[in-house]
Amino acid sequence: GGVMAGYRDLHVWKEARILVSEVYDIAEKLPPYEKYGLCDQMRRAVASIGSNIAEGQGRGTVRDYLHFLYIARGSAYELDTQLLYCLDLYLPKDPVLTSALKRVGLIQWMINQMVRKLSMNVSKPSGCREERTPYGEVLMHEEYNPPEGLTF
């Protein structure tokens, strides 16, 4: 096989990177008293998504990759909830917030596709050594066909 694709080549990681800018933009628009509340929570959650995708991809085993994808997915769901709070409380018609909500939905969907695909590669434990699988290439060239309303 060729060189394993780096995390920067993953479509999902690129989307997560764009989402960081959107979330930081949204956080700036919230009232000052949310600085240590919702703002901090959203910034932590959005940073966690791409960071965990990168860390998982760099670990080298499918089982590790899945572990970090689950953390990234949890952060994406957490962020989705926080963005809905922003929508309800402060920014009902904000275009950046609308875009971020759509993008976090796309990211959740993409992570779910990756988890599904990688789960098929996890073998039953046999002894203590784990098979290394070149999962990067497979996922990088994956055709993503998201459900209606999630495409950009």
Side-chain angles (χ1 to χ4, degrees), residues 10 12-13 53 57 65-66 69 109-119 139 142 144:
L10 295 171
V12 66
W13 184 85
I53 291 166
Q57 214 275 353
Y65 200 178
L66 281 167
L69 285 177
W109 182 85
M110 290 170 95
I111 292 172
N112 283 331
Q113 297 301 104
M114 292 168 76
V115 165
R116 214 185 49 184
K117 180 152 211 140
L118 286 167
S119 295
L139 293 168
E142 182 68 17
Y144 289 107

Side-chain angles (χ1 to χ4, degrees), residues 95-113:
V96 181
L97 180 52
T98 304
S99 173
L101 278 163
K102 205 172 159 190
R103 195 177 311 278
V104 79
L106 176 65
I107 288 168
Q108 288 165 358
W109 182 85
M110 290 170 95
I111 292 172
N112 283 331
Q113 297 301 104

Side-chain angles (χ1 to χ4, degrees), residues 11 30 39 59 72 89 94 102 110 135 141 143:
H11 185 181
L30 298 182
C39 293
R59 287 295 179 119
L89 297 170
D94 188 87
K102 205 172 159 190
M110 290 170 95
Y135 47 69
H141 302 298
E143 278 300 316

Side-chain angles (χ1 to χ4, degrees), residues 63-105:
R63 211 175 297 275
D64 280 345
Y65 200 178
L66 281 167
H67 171 72
F68 286 98
L69 285 177
Y70 290 137
I71 296 170
R73 183 172 65 181
S75 295
Y77 282 110
E78 183 185 345
L79 179 63
D80 186 58
T81 302
Q82 293 156 351
L83 291 171
L84 288 171
Y85 294 161
C86 290
L87 184 76
D88 296 343
L89 297 170
Y90 306 114
L91 303 164
K93 294 192 172 91
D94 188 87
V96 181
L97 180 52
T98 304
S99 173
L101 278 163
K102 205 172 159 190
R103 195 177 311 278
V104 79

